[in-house]
Amino acid sequence: MAATSYDAESAAAYRASRELPREGLTAWREAVAEEAGLAPGMTVVDVGAGTGAFAAAFHDWFGVRVLAVEPAPAMRALIAPVSGGVEPVDGRAEALPLPDACADAAWLGSVVHHLADLDKAARELRRVLVPGAPVLVRNTFPGRSQDDLRVRFFPETAEGVDGYPTVERVTAAFESVGFRRTALRSLPQQSASTLGVFADRLSRDADSKLRALSDEAYARGLARLRAAAAEHPAEPAVSWMDLLVLR
Ligand SMILES: C[S@@+](CC[C@H](N)C(=O)[O-])C[C@H]1O[C@@H](n2cnc3c(N)ncnc32)[C@H](O)[C@@H]1O
């Protein structure tokens, strides 16, 4: 998939529409704690950090220092630096501007399908991580996207996901540089308190899956979502994604 470019407007739309409420991420917080064993003072490299929501969450949850690597200036400008906590870094996964063995874990949130060269990115992560450190990949993968809320209401988005790197492809890229897969877990997130709130916050501009749809497909999906929200007004907007761990 081609890299997405972000200007100030789309970066702000990303923040407003795609950043998740912290309380909706409990299962993710617990899974990362179990899989990564992060402790205060450790360093995490967040590759493709976007507006820095996960970087800030990791710092707050685990007391770690986060190097928030993000190539798009408009996204990086929204990362709030925290002294000793979150450091925005201009860079790309394929050429990380970081020293060897400087990090205790890597986080790649919704980014593997944006990378120009996954194999180069895996080599770079091997270089900047200390031996034994985990790579935590949070993504939607082909054949595993049926419980993603967008796929539920906009089923045509599954065709876009079919073009993403598969679990096997990502695993192979990392295995070729010495990592092995230690976990693959499907995890829930509460994207909004209700389907109605989720629909209100939805921004087509902020989401490459929705942007790829025709106007008609988008309108049909929105109508389905609004109808479900009207029928089940108290239903929380829960979406599932995978956590793939390699170390
Ligand atoms: C969908 S956003 C995810 C942002 C954040 N990780 C999150 O979960 O909210 C994908 C991000 O990856 C960045 N990106 C695209 N190509 C990249 C590359 N080659 N290396 C690092 N980041 C990249 C984009 O600029 C964008 O901010």
Side-chain angles (χ1 to χ4, degrees):
M1 179 189 227
T4 307
S5 57
Y6 294 91
D7 57 15
E9 202 178 324
S10 52
Y14 188 94
R15 161 155 287 178
S17 162
R18 300 279 307 277
E19 281 191 10
L20 295 164
R22 284 271 176 96
E23 60 276 15
L25 289 169
T26 306
W28 283 88
R29 178 184 181 163
E30 289 171 0
V32 170
E34 286 164 22
E35 298 295 343
L38 297 174
M42 285 183 168
T43 297
V44 175
V45 53
D46 181 352
V47 180
T51 54
F54 278 99
F58 271 51
H59 173 59
D60 293 345
W61 289 339
F62 306 118
V64 293
R65 167 178 171 248
V66 184
L67 303 170
V69 177
E70 172 52 50
M75 296 291 259
R76 202 170 58 250
L78 296 182
I79 300 175
V82 178
S83 176
V86 176
E87 244 174 83
V89 176
D90 179 7
R92 318 185 68 81
E94 299 86 350
L96 293 168
L98 302 173
D100 295 357
C102 69
D104 303 289
W107 174 252
L108 286 84
S110 304
V111 73
V112 290
H113 51 284
H114 290 290
L115 300 181
D117 190 329
L118 179 59
D119 299 294
K120 241 186 195 172
R123 280 202 295 280
E124 276 295 81
L125 284 164
R126 181 61 288 159
R127 181 182 67 76
V128 304
L129 291 177
V130 299
V135 176
L136 306 156
V137 178
R138 168 185 148 88
N139 226 80
T140 307
F141 291 105
R144 300 178 55 91
S145 66
Q146 66 283 356
D147 294 324
D148 183 304
L149 263 189
R150 289 159 299 182
V151 173
R152 174 176 159 198
F153 292 107
F154 303 86
E156 295 89 344
T157 55
E159 290 163 26
V161 174
D162 285 345
Y164 289 11
T166 60
V167 168
E168 292 71 25
R169 170 73 183 95
V170 176
T171 301
F174 281 90
E175 281 184 350
S176 73
V177 292
F179 291 89
R180 68 186 179 82
R181 184 164 113 188
T182 57
L184 176 63
R185 300 169 63 167
S186 185
L187 296 168
Q189 67 192 36
Q190 187 166 330
S191 301
S193 52
T194 64
L195 292 175
V197 172
F198 178 71
D200 291 343
R201 287 184 62 202
L202 208 59
S203 160
R204 199 176 171 193
D205 285 344
D207 194 312
S208 55
K209 290 182 194 52
L210 299 179
R211 261 199 320 272
L213 298 178
S214 68
D215 290 347
E216 295 72 26
Y218 182 72
R220 278 196 305 272
L222 201 53
R224 262 182 226 114
L225 174 57
R226 292 275 181 212
E231 199 176 338
H232 308 285
E235 181 179 336
V238 176
S239 197
W240 292 71
M241 280 174 89
D242 284 321
L243 174 65
L244 170 64
V245 185
L246 306 121
R247 57 163 84 231

